[in-house]
Amino acid sequence: MRTALVIGTGLIGTSVALALRSRGITVHLADHDPGQARTAAALGAGTDSEPEGPVDLAVIAVPPAHVAEALAEAIRGGVARGYLDVASVKGGPARALAELGLGEDELSCYIGTHPMSGRERSGPLAAGADLFEGRPWVLTPSRSTDTEVLNLALEVIAFCRAVPVVMDAEAHDRAVALVSHMPHLVSGLVAARLEHAEESAVRLCGQGIRDVTRIAASDPRMWVDILSANPGPVADLLSELAADLDGTVRALRALESADRAERGAGTEGVREILRRGNAGQVRVPGKHGAAPAVYESVAVLIDDQPGQLARIFADAGQAGVNVEDVRIEHATGQQAGLVQLMVEPSAVPVLTAALRDRGWSIRQ
């Protein structure tokens, strides 16, 4: 691949373009909003001028509801020798393409894909060439997909340093409903409880509520498009979740009962849902997609000053300790925060001693 056309210069499209440009690919940018394409070009993602002839690959990076239309126009216009989309839903666009009258011959140059990566912010200014590094990138080839197009898609994934995963389109949509779409709605439902909460309660927010509500900050318009393209599987999961919530509510009400047997049943009900939560959480892949490792935390109090995190990492490195993950909790109303350094259990005493020797305040 030497040339590419990215249609849609939001977060994903601009990030793909930046990754391709970093590998020397000539990238042309197009968007229904010319100003957004110019912004992406100014960031170094490519040029907003039209290509003089067909490019090697066209990347369709528009909302799911518009993928089929944009693809059909591009394919019938002969703008590229290969096409892929990066929409978060795959079954809907495939059906829409069939409804637009595109046959298997026309669609042999197309492959559906989905990079499993994103941020709470949208638009080209949130983009980065490193957005996809180490993340799964799903490919959903059909029986008619040409091998050359599959190879072009794999080349893009390699340039973006992502991990290719081949799936059936419908299986993909059920999977993302479980691991992405349903959790986003649940995060929004929890965050909505805060909208009219007392300020005295909101000031008590800690890292737990920040973790749960983080993805609720995403653009509602974008998520309406996504959920509208995959409503059935998401509704099925929410129905199952609603049944669990009903059971949990009954268990909690039982804990208020004067009857000892009812309280015992309530305790068991709450314990069971928490046990199931533990069992599900340990299945979430950890670092580099591997089975999650058990890390321990070393908590360090820091001031809100430039260079504090860099100093901590440098001191940990000098102590020969690899920091596997980091979490930051800001102290409400104070210019300070608590940094939790996640390390191997055996490294805890080494890191704790080293940081104390260097003047850091360690919290148990």
Side-chain angles (χ1 to χ4, degrees):
M1 183 187 353
R2 296 183 179 180
T3 58
L5 169 64
V6 175
I7 301 175
T9 51
L11 169 64
I12 301 298
T14 304
S15 294
V16 171
L18 288 167
L20 295 180
R21 284 293 303 126
S22 71
R23 297 305 184 98
I25 306 299
T26 298
V27 180
H28 297 269
L29 306 168
D31 198 287
H32 75 282
D33 179 357
Q36 187 157 282
R38 287 194 294 271
T39 298
L43 294 171
T47 174
D48 60 346
S49 64
E50 294 186 8
E52 295 181 358
V55 296
D56 293 326
L57 181 70
V59 177
I60 311 299
V62 300
H66 304 289
V67 165
E69 182 182 350
L71 262 170
E73 181 180 350
I75 290 174
R76 288 169 173 166
V79 302
R81 61 187 179 95
Y83 304 82
L84 65 80
D85 78 286
V86 292
S88 59
V89 178
K90 304 274 50 101
R95 290 188 293 272
L97 285 168
E99 292 172 1
L100 289 173
L102 275 75
E104 288 191 358
D105 289 345
E106 289 178 290
L107 293 176
S108 63
C109 59
Y110 158 70
I111 183 170
T113 82
H114 177 206
M116 297 294 297
S117 186
R119 289 183 175 138
E120 298 81 52
R121 295 184 297 129
S122 58
L125 292 176
D130 61 349
L131 182 66
F132 313 105
E133 288 191 13
R135 303 296 301 162
W137 191 313
V138 178
L139 298 152
T140 59
S142 68
R143 291 175 299 176
S144 62
T145 301
D146 189 272
T147 302
E148 182 183 11
V149 178
L150 176 59
N151 287 336
L152 283 170
L154 289 171
E155 194 172 356
V156 170
I157 294 171
F159 286 159
C160 292
R161 300 177 64 85
V163 181
V165 178
V166 178
M167 295 183 71
D168 171 76
E170 299 297 338
H172 163 273
D173 288 356
R174 292 192 298 272
V176 294
L178 174 64
V179 303
S180 177
H181 302 168
M182 182 267 291
H184 190 92
L185 279 174
V186 173
S187 176
L189 290 169
V190 174
R193 302 303 96 204
L194 300 173
E195 183 179 12
H196 302 296
E198 295 289 339
E199 183 62 28
S200 58
V202 175
R203 287 180 61 83
L204 299 181
C205 286
Q207 195 59 40
I209 192 70
R210 290 190 182 97
D211 288 344
V212 171
T213 61
R214 179 183 61 82
I215 56 177
S218 300
D219 184 355
R221 293 170 300 177
M222 176 185 73
W223 273 94
V224 166
D225 284 336
I226 292 171
L227 294 167
S228 297
N230 199 29
V234 179
D236 291 341
L237 287 165
L238 286 176
S239 180
E240 295 174 4
L241 181 63
D244 278 344
L245 285 173
D246 284 342
T248 305
V249 169
R250 289 194 299 271
L252 290 170
R253 295 299 186 200
L255 292 177
E256 298 178 311
S257 173
D259 184 85
R260 183 175 180 180
E262 283 191 38
R263 292 200 306 274
T267 299
E268 185 55 36
V270 173
R271 180 183 293 114
E272 176 61 12
I273 198 66
L274 294 174
R275 183 201 64 77
R276 288 171 54 201
N278 288 161
Q281 195 278 331
V282 298
R283 296 194 64 195
V284 177
K287 190 176 180 182
H288 307 308
V294 177
Y295 299 127
E296 291 189 11
S297 167
V298 174
V300 187
L301 186 67
I302 65 169
D303 297 326
D304 188 12
Q305 297 178 10
Q308 293 281 286
L309 283 175
R311 281 185 52 215
I312 288 180
F313 289 130
D315 290 345
Q318 290 178 6
V321 175
N322 184 48
V323 177
E324 304 290 345
D325 198 359
V326 61
R327 301 169 188 171
I328 304 174
E329 182 171 353
H330 298 283
T332 304
Q334 299 182 30
Q335 298 299 310
L338 196 66
V339 175
Q340 295 185 46
L341 304 174
M342 312 304 291
V343 298
E344 296 283 353
S346 60
V348 170
V350 176
L351 180 60
T352 300
L355 293 180
R356 279 195 174 127
D357 287 346
R358 289 170 172 81
W360 294 103
S361 177
I362 308 297
R363 294 292 183 266
Q364 298 300 321

